[in-house]
Amino acid sequence: MTDIAETPDTVASRKTAAVSKCDLCGHEEQHALAAPSPARCRIVMCGHCGLFYASPSLAPDLLDKFYDEEFEGDAGTNKRLKGGGIEPRKVNIEERIARTWAMPLIQSHVDVRGKSVLDVRCRSGSLAAALTEAGAQVTAIDPLEPNVRYAEKRNVIGDVRFIPIENFERMDVFEDAQFDVITALSIHLLSHSPSPNRLLHRLRALLKPGGYLFLDEKDVFHPVRATGETVFDSGPAHFFHFTTDSMRNYFEACGLEILECGIDPKRKKSTRHIRSVVRRPANASNGSGTRPQACDRDKVIAALEQAEHKLMRNNGFNKFMKSARRTARKIWN
Ligand SMILES: [Zn+2]
């Protein structure tokens, strides 16, 4: 692992904020893993618990501007569709994933009929609509206005709300213990959050005792296709890069009971996905969990190097496929 020098406080000319402590365990020891580039912030590993995170990260006061001008992950983002609207092809993908993957997963743990459900980062509202059809009382929230407008136009979801990025971790419009179920399965939520610790504690507080939380995140140890030079090149909006171990650590630190946390057999895009089903314990009132244990650093680094090798193999394969297709076109044309 090469040592990467401290970098000035700009990432591809973006304003950044120093991150002095690990969000998960609070330790200050950081080991640099990747220098900043347009495809990522500078990435470090926590010297104690092994969490991968951006340091410095995008400045929090830049987030709204970033999602407005640069982010293109969602069907209605400005960069994707100039002048408003929403991209039907992307919505169709969300509909399919909601109905064939997310709903069966949710229903395998809880019957949502009559339950109060909060769908976080609802995007086009595909999952919120499917949950409503299954008999749930759904509140859907999103920080991107085109998503909120589109989800509202469906006229089936009981409550669709815009919550600005800066208020996303507080969610103070809701009351504690208001929801039976919280879903965040339409997009990876935690890696975009400046503090998964604060966000998970808030989601836990919003759940009734015994309530369920469903999450879908990307696994940085399992790249599927190359999107850049390193496994961290998934865009500067990713404050965190998770593994099943770091997800488990977070749940335990936030006092959430783990029912499922592992590689999903079906979901994969640029990486395999980690699907998690956790629960607010039925008879624990306070939000304290266990302190994250020290990780085996050599093991974490070895797994990271393996992931980088896999990425390079995939990268080589993709390049090979591209040139093969070009050759095939020449032959057949
Ligand atoms: Zn840590």
Side-chain angles (χ1 to χ4, degrees):
M1 199 57 50
T2 49
D3 191 26
I4 293 158
E6 291 293 316
T7 49
D9 62 347
T10 54
V11 174
S13 80
R14 292 186 185 98
K15 191 177 159 202
T16 59
V19 181
S20 60
K21 279 183 185 170
C22 172
D23 179 66
L24 173 52
C25 73
H27 282 243
E28 293 179 5
E29 187 185 334
Q30 300 179 343
H31 299 277
L33 297 176
S37 82
R40 58 174 185 263
C41 290
R42 177 176 176 267
I43 302 297
V44 302
M45 179 179 89
C46 170
H48 179 71
C49 73
L51 182 70
F52 302 130
Y53 62 97
S55 174
S57 66
L58 274 190
D61 61 354
L62 198 77
L63 280 185
D64 278 318
K65 202 169 149 59
F66 175 83
Y67 283 100
D68 200 39
E69 293 175 7
E70 291 189 50
F71 185 64
E72 54 180 336
D74 285 42
T77 41
N78 287 335
K79 196 171 178 197
R80 190 175 274 278
L81 283 186
K82 292 213 163 56
I86 205 140
E87 194 178 324
R89 192 187 60 89
K90 276 220 93 166
V91 176
N92 287 343
I93 295 170
E94 285 180 33
E95 289 285 330
R96 180 171 51 77
I97 291 171
R99 283 163 202 276
T100 64
W101 175 73
M103 282 304 289
L105 171 62
I106 296 164
Q107 300 274 44
S108 73
H109 284 275
V110 54
D111 180 359
V112 297
R113 265 177 303 179
K115 299 286 197 313
S116 57
V117 179
L118 175 66
D119 188 36
V120 182
R121 264 305 252 129
C122 70
R123 304 184 98 185
S124 66
S126 300
L127 178 58
L131 284 161
T132 307
E133 279 170 33
Q137 306 289 320
V138 182
T139 302
I141 61 168
D142 201 272
L144 301 178
E145 283 177 341
N147 290 346
V148 173
R149 283 197 297 273
Y150 187 87
E152 271 172 343
K153 267 195 214 144
R154 290 171 178 267
N155 279 329
V156 288
I157 307 161
D159 187 3
V160 186
R161 294 190 196 192
F162 168 77
I163 296 201
I165 298 269
E166 74 262 26
N167 195 9
F168 220 70
E169 285 167 0
R170 290 200 301 278
M171 286 195 234
D172 45 15
V173 289
F174 302 119
E175 283 170 25
D176 286 2
Q178 191 178 329
F179 299 101
D180 295 297
V181 177
I182 298 177
T183 52
L185 295 173
S186 299
I187 189 169
H188 47 279
L189 172 74
L190 298 184
S191 54
H192 282 261
S193 163
S195 172
N197 209 328
R198 282 199 301 269
L199 181 54
L200 283 171
H201 272 104
R202 184 62 189 136
L203 294 177
R204 184 191 190 275
L206 291 176
L207 282 172
K208 295 176 186 172
Y212 291 79
L213 169 63
F214 294 84
L215 287 165
D216 179 38
E217 297 289 333
K218 293 178 174 185
D219 188 332
V220 73
F221 280 167
H222 290 89
V224 172
R225 63 178 168 79
T227 53
E229 295 162 2
T230 80
V231 291
F232 303 117
D233 285 11
S234 49
H238 287 161
F239 291 81
F240 296 89
H241 296 268
F242 294 109
T243 67
T244 48
D245 281 346
S246 57
M247 292 291 294
R248 284 181 169 272
N249 270 344
Y250 259 114
F251 295 138
E252 282 163 7
C254 296
L256 288 155
E257 182 192 340
I258 301 170
L259 304 177
E260 275 194 41
C261 180
I263 302 286
D264 186 90
K266 289 186 180 163
R267 298 295 311 280
K268 59 179 171 185
K269 210 177 163 196
S270 56
T271 66
R272 303 293 298 268
H273 289 212
I274 303 166
R275 90 178 191 198
S276 305
V277 184
V278 297
R279 203 156 63 161
R280 176 175 175 172
N283 46 18
S285 55
N286 66 29
S288 64
T290 55
R291 289 181 67 81
Q293 298 292 307
C295 72
D296 181 337
R297 259 184 260 172
D298 291 343
K299 244 171 99 176
V300 175
I301 293 294
L304 180 63
E305 282 175 349
Q306 222 171 39
E308 296 281 5
H309 281 140
K310 191 175 173 216
L311 181 84
M312 267 185 268
R313 275 205 310 276
N314 292 354
N315 211 348
F317 180 71
N318 286 346
K319 274 184 189 150
F320 165 76
M321 286 302 287
K322 250 188 213 162
S323 78
R325 273 198 293 270
R326 264 200 305 273
T327 309
R329 269 202 298 272
K330 268 184 206 156
I331 292 169
W332 295 112
N333 284 344

